[in-house]
Amino acid sequence: MDFTSFAQRAEKFRASSPTVYDQQYLLGVRGFLVIQAFFWVFLSTFVPVAVANSKDTSGALFQVVLRKGFSVIFWNEHLLYGAIIFLSARSLAIPFIRDPTKSQVARSVFTRGLTFWFPLAISLAIVKVAFSQTGVTYIFDFKTSTGNTSIHVPYVMPNALAYFNSVFNLLWVTHDFAAQSGSTAFPSQTLWMMNVVYMQSYTVYMTMVIIPYTRKKWRVQAAFFFVITAWWCQSWAWFTISGLLFADMVMTMDFKACSQRGISIYVFPSRLRKQDGSPYRIPVWVPATFCVLSGLLMQYLWIAWRPDLWNREFLYHSALYYTPDLNYDYANRHTPARNDIYLILVGFFLFLESYDGLQRFFDNKFLVYLGKRSMSFFLIQSTIIYLLGIKLFIRLQDVSKASFSGSVIVTLITCLIVIIPLAELFHRLVVMPSKAFSHICFDFITS
């Protein structure tokens, strides 16, 4: 294959990226999550008191204010988990809904694994080599000197076989995602999210194929039952199906026009109709606001008032086959798919899919730029913060005797200076070639 042919294939792939078309704002939402994820990892490492649901709750007043006032919205671990899965499901089915053919389904299913595997394998290889050389003693010392009990010391993979098995399991494990070595070896221990997103992709693929062949009303009604059952057994599928339903409604049901007309009230029709016979309608911002405020209220109550109730809801879900009784082992075994986060996301996407102004905000070039590189930032930023940021912070505190605030600011600026170009490099040298290679392989086996 000559270079010209390769370039043509790469350009064809670029044009069929799942969130292009007329929904660029979804990339902007991904870009916004990149910013949130960076602040969550950074603050969890250096200012844990300022992070929602942190094990460290005592500190300076401004840190407590940040946790109780801002962390729920701007650097919330559980909000990030839910938003990433919800947004992935919202985006994945776009190519098929645009082109509902068997070839499009086959392409999506085939390329998904290769697109994930190479970036995960390379990022985890970097982590293994780095920590094999530097060790993790300095992270233990950092935790001790700062009193940070929120972060975990990464597991050091002892050999190449352990590394291979860790990468292999990242696309194979179907439960207890966070317990696998690939995630515990990763700084910030969040690589399990890639496992969940990959697994939930197949929930989307198996469900989206019915869209061209079933009634719209039936799909909406069936989605409600799916969400309820998935919620009860604590599967991430209730987030996934909800994201897919939004994609379906936006692309096949003219959701924006319907939402701007308002939601019809058909209960007791004779009483709730206007004199001209048309039904009364509730503006879509009413249920959207209710969902967002309800979710935020619960988050603020658990964080600022009753943190002891934070995980209480998980007790009453079905326990995924590991106990015959109530879910008493939820603290170690549950999937962190939360009711309050779900309400926030449903309300947010109701707003996003209904109003042009919000879509234009997320369609700006900066957020779209970050969104296209979201995987690269996710895989690079934690490693740099742990390898460079912690060592620099220790030096500023112990050698230079800098103040805590000064050390945090210098570390923040330094990490950003290093992470941004490295993420761009990783995007161009690893992520994009992996995507192009996966499509080339599919074209080869089907030609």
Side-chain angles (χ1 to χ4, degrees):
M1 181 183 296
D2 59 19
F3 178 79
T4 303
S5 177
F6 178 84
Q8 290 174 347
R9 289 177 180 268
E11 187 62 30
K12 178 183 177 182
F13 155 72
R14 181 190 298 270
S16 62
S17 180
T19 50
V20 177
Y21 303 114
D22 58 342
Q23 301 176 55
Q24 283 280 90
Y25 60 88
L26 296 176
L27 284 173
V29 176
R30 281 168 55 180
F32 185 69
L33 294 179
V34 168
I35 298 172
Q36 285 196 321
F38 170 79
F39 277 110
W40 175 74
V41 175
F42 183 87
L43 292 175
S44 295
T45 306
F46 300 106
V47 197
V49 179
V51 178
N53 197 36
S54 172
K55 296 179 181 178
D56 303 278
T57 57
S58 300
L61 177 61
F62 82 93
Q63 297 177 17
V64 176
V65 171
L66 286 176
R67 182 180 78 248
K68 295 186 177 183
F70 297 94
S71 64
V72 169
I73 300 176
F74 295 109
W75 50 84
N76 186 334
E77 172 186 9
H78 293 275
L79 182 58
L80 284 167
Y81 296 159
I84 290 170
I85 293 171
F86 201 107
L87 184 59
S88 173
R90 168 65 181 87
S91 306
L92 267 181
I94 292 176
F96 175 75
I97 296 175
R98 289 283 186 183
D99 178 26
T101 61
K102 58 185 179 182
S103 175
Q104 185 61 62
V105 175
R107 178 179 292 274
S108 297
V109 173
F110 179 86
T111 59
R112 189 67 166 169
L114 292 176
T115 299
F116 270 56
W117 193 87
F118 287 105
L120 291 177
I122 293 173
S123 65
L124 209 56
I126 294 172
V127 169
K128 174 179 167 39
V129 171
F131 285 130
S132 296
Q133 297 298 316
T134 65
V136 293
T137 303
Y138 72 95
I139 302 179
F140 279 106
D141 296 338
F142 170 78
K143 283 171 59 70
T144 302
S145 63
T146 59
N148 187 335
T149 60
S150 297
I151 65 171
H152 300 278
V153 177
Y155 161 71
V156 179
M157 292 171 282
N159 49 51
L161 180 61
Y163 160 76
F164 174 82
N165 289 336
S166 298
V167 176
F168 181 83
N169 283 336
L170 280 172
L171 301 183
W172 191 259
V173 170
T174 58
H175 57 86
D176 291 346
F177 301 104
Q180 59 183 300
S181 61
S183 184
T184 57
F186 188 72
S188 76
Q189 306 208 338
T190 53
L191 207 58
W192 63 270
M193 276 301 303
M194 303 298 289
N195 191 173
V196 176
V197 169
Y198 177 74
M199 289 296 173
Q200 287 301 313
S201 299
Y202 290 88
T203 302
V204 174
Y205 296 146
M206 289 187 293
T207 309
M208 71 183 186
V209 295
I210 71 170
I211 289 177
Y213 310 106
T214 52
R215 294 182 179 180
K216 299 173 182 178
K217 183 178 180 180
W218 289 0
R219 296 202 298 274
V220 175
Q221 293 171 340
F224 281 104
F225 286 102
F226 199 127
V227 166
I228 291 171
T229 53
W231 166 83
W232 179 246
C233 68
Q234 266 294 287
S235 165
W236 278 109
W238 57 306
F239 281 69
T240 299
I241 292 300
S242 299
L244 176 60
L245 179 60
F246 268 97
D248 188 6
M249 293 189 299
V250 168
M251 300 184 69
T252 69
M253 305 180 196
D254 200 12
F255 176 79
K256 181 180 288 187
C258 295
S259 66
Q260 291 176 350
R261 288 196 300 267
I263 302 171
S264 301
I265 306 176
Y266 288 108
V267 181
F268 307 118
S270 59
R271 295 183 182 180
L272 296 179
R273 287 184 177 273
K274 300 177 183 178
Q275 293 181 351
D276 61 1
S278 61
Y280 284 100
R281 296 180 183 273
I282 300 176
V284 72
W285 62 263
V286 173
T289 302
F290 174 79
C291 288
V292 172
L293 291 183
S294 297
L296 288 176
L297 177 62
M298 284 189 279
Q299 283 274 299
Y300 279 116
L301 287 176
W302 307 153
I303 291 171
W305 182 50
R306 292 293 302 275
D308 57 301
L309 298 178
W310 176 260
N311 283 329
R312 185 64 61 86
E313 75 164 271
F314 298 120
L315 178 65
Y316 304 104
H317 288 275
S318 64
L320 295 172
Y321 314 118
Y322 50 78
T323 175
D325 208 333
L326 290 179
N327 194 6
Y328 291 117
D329 198 24
Y330 68 87
N332 300 315
R333 305 287 296 270
H334 76 275
T335 299
R338 300 181 56 85
N339 298 341
D340 41 20
I341 297 301
Y342 180 80
L343 289 173
I344 293 172
L345 290 173
V346 169
F348 170 76
F349 274 89
L350 284 174
F351 278 119
L352 180 67
E353 305 295 0
S354 300
Y355 297 105
D356 292 331
L358 195 56
Q359 292 180 2
R360 284 195 296 269
F361 170 78
F362 284 105
D363 197 19
N364 73 78
K365 293 182 179 180
F366 174 68
L367 290 179
V368 170
Y369 169 86
L370 292 178
K372 291 180 178 179
R373 291 152 178 79
S374 56
M375 179 183 284
S376 300
F377 277 98
F378 178 83
L379 295 176
I380 290 295
Q381 63 190 14
S382 298
T383 304
I384 299 303
I385 288 173
Y386 272 59
L387 286 174
L388 174 63
I390 289 179
K391 290 184 177 181
L392 176 60
F393 185 88
I394 293 173
R395 182 173 182 81
L396 289 171
Q397 290 276 281
D398 296 344
V399 179
S400 302
K401 303 300 180 183
S403 66
F404 175 80
S405 299
S407 300
V408 170
I409 292 173
V410 171
T411 304
L412 172 64
I413 295 173
T414 303
C415 287
L416 285 174
I417 291 174
V418 175
I419 288 171
I420 292 173
L422 285 182
E424 179 67 25
L425 195 63
F426 193 87
H427 175 72
R428 292 180 179 273
L429 296 182
V430 179
V431 175
M432 290 303 296
S434 298
K435 291 181 178 180
F437 177 72
S438 68
H439 284 261
I440 290 171
C441 288
F442 179 80
D443 290 338
F444 175 78
I445 67 173
T446 56
S447 59

